[in-house]
Amino acid sequence: MLCPSVRRWAYTTAKLTLWYMFRMTRRGVCVAILLLLVPGAISVAALLDAQNLAPSPPMGWSEWDAYGMAVTEADFRANATVLAGLRKYGWQYALIDAGWYINNPTGAKQEVRRYLLDGQGRLTPSVNRFPSAADGAGFKPLADWLHGRGLKFGIHVMPGIPRQAVTENLLIAGSSFHAVDAADTTQTCSWDKEFYVAKDNAAGQDYYDAMVRLYAEWGVDYIKLGCVSDHPFHPSEIRQIAEAIRKTNRPIVLSLSPGPPPQDYVDFASRYAQVWRISAEHWDFWAPPPGKTGYPVGLREAFDLFEKWAPYVKPGSWVDGDLLPEGWLGPHPGWGEPRQSRETEDEQKTEFTLWAIARSPLLLGCNLTKLDAFTRSLITNKEVIGINQNAWNSHPVKSVAPGFEHARVWEAQTGATDRPNLYFAFFNLDDRPVTLHSTWAQLGLEGRHAARNLWNGNPLVPSEGIEMTLPAHGSAIFRVQ
């Protein structure tokens, strides 16, 4: 028998599921009626589009944790080739992070680095690093190559107007405005002063329309928009880029970073983006040294972040814990020296389990060309990935048994809402091993239950409760029957 909290979730989700099924078969009629009759129906239509763009958390790979700004086309293609071999497990997005438009990313000064623009002030790939972009082709040849292998293509995009475009006062493509009309020269990105904030006016919208139109023509499927979601928060630029994406009629997922957005703007972020970060960059350590917090974020802090933002997770609006820094991080990681992940194997398993059950996007950060057997075992576990992709509910369990003072528990449901598949994940946050024991009743379930460990396959016979010993920072996840 289901506990009351699960019954409430089941009832609500059943109603949403029936409505969603009806909408999928009558979508055009429903949206047309809404637009004509319901105040604020544009927001409803936007919600439907968001759900279609990202009905489940995006899965893929980003080069940032292994290559930083030094990635080349050869590096990217080599990793994408491995990713294509993992496509059957759900991995599909291949992302180029910040700096693809920089000719010499190791240069100490801007004139040496050289940000590359087209004649209308839009960023274009460095041909030195991405030779297929020659002769104005941009990323289209690379995107076509990815699409031919069943993958999707994403890029990191800086918001605002490049300083160089404003200095030269370039004409905005398809517009009568110039770059100087679109740029607020009193504000720049906090960590890259080469980008002025775009004005919230017709010229600013025209610039973003032209920029996103170019990227859509290349075949971009995913835009990671940096420097807008925190330090500081730029709602107008988020709205402008979302509107520019809508105008292309291309299904492009919009991801906001870093994070988190201000609490008062969570509904705003959900309305305009499908993915939004909940922290600064996440890297491969358990906790920072005493007195150091904020950047980067370690695995211990991620537990608190996911718990805080869990109520806001829904189809088409996924809270993002950032890349998974597991496996080999090299030759040029975005932070630190080349290395095997500093997380222990137990911590890496805990990290993957937490991201999965919290329904975060799963974006690998490792160098896939040096994929080791342990990392492969994590990223090819269909059952754990299936929770991430198919759960209609997941959340931390607030009421736990005595002895869980240094532990966390999450539960999730997949499948039919009247008879769901139940999952529980247990996490040891202590620096030493711990033995945990709980009755099923203390976890909200009635009666006796069997269970199976999803990582090692070991079954547990039907009983009144569950007991396990977890290593320091270790975890286990079970399907409960």
Side-chain angles (χ1 to χ4, degrees), residues 97-109:
D97 214 288
W100 45 268
Y101 40 81
I102 302 177
N103 211 42
N104 178 14
T106 62
K109 296 182 178 180

Side-chain angles (χ1 to χ4, degrees), residues 210-395:
M211 180 188 81
V212 176
R213 185 168 61 246
L214 175 65
Y215 301 158
E217 291 170 357
W218 289 348
V220 169
D221 305 294
Y222 188 110
I223 287 177
K224 177 184 177 182
L225 184 62
C227 204
V228 292
S229 197
D230 188 31
H231 299 104
F233 183 68
H234 291 292
S236 63
E237 295 198 276
I238 295 169
R239 173 176 43 76
Q240 286 171 305
I241 287 194
E243 174 63 13
I245 290 174
R246 186 191 65 79
K247 290 177 182 178
T248 68
N249 291 318
R250 181 174 179 80
I252 300 175
V253 170
L254 178 60
S255 170
L256 307 180
S257 68
Q263 194 84 29
D264 293 344
Y265 277 89
V266 170
D267 289 342
F268 178 93
S270 296
R271 186 182 314 136
Y272 290 107
Q274 293 74 56
V275 175
W276 39 284
R277 278 259 294 280
I278 56 174
S279 72
E281 287 187 20
H282 169 72
W283 280 95
D284 54 323
F285 60 91
W286 178 253
K292 291 189 177 182
T293 59
Y295 179 91
V297 171
L299 180 52
R300 172 60 184 83
E301 187 177 351
F303 281 91
D304 298 332
L305 291 166
F306 278 123
E307 180 172 346
K308 176 181 178 179
W309 297 102
Y312 304 100
V313 176
K314 58 186 178 182
S317 178
W318 307 107
V319 299
D320 180 12
D322 202 13
L323 307 182
L324 294 160
E326 299 161 3
W328 175 250
L329 309 178
H332 305 289
W335 180 71
E337 297 299 317
R339 60 195 181 274
Q340 189 71 18
S341 177
R342 286 179 288 218
E343 296 172 339
T344 67
E345 289 190 353
D346 289 323
E347 288 170 347
Q348 290 177 68
K349 186 179 293 184
T350 289
E351 181 176 68
F352 196 91
T353 303
L354 177 62
W355 262 240
I357 201 166
R359 293 183 288 170
S360 171
L362 299 177
L363 297 172
L364 306 174
C366 62
N367 184 330
L368 291 176
T369 69
K370 298 182 180 296
L371 190 60
D372 59 271
F374 176 76
T375 305
R376 180 179 288 275
S377 74
L378 296 180
I379 67 177
T380 58
N381 188 306
K382 290 184 177 180
E383 288 188 288
V384 176
I385 291 171
I387 297 171
N388 177 265
Q389 294 292 288
N390 300 312
W392 45 263
N393 170 38
S394 70
H395 59 87

Side-chain angles (χ1 to χ4, degrees), residues 286 300 303-304 406-408 427-431 473-474:
W286 178 253
R300 172 60 184 83
F303 281 91
D304 298 332
H406 299 288
R408 298 286 176 90
F427 302 94
N428 177 18
L429 274 55
D430 207 341
D431 295 334
H473 309 162

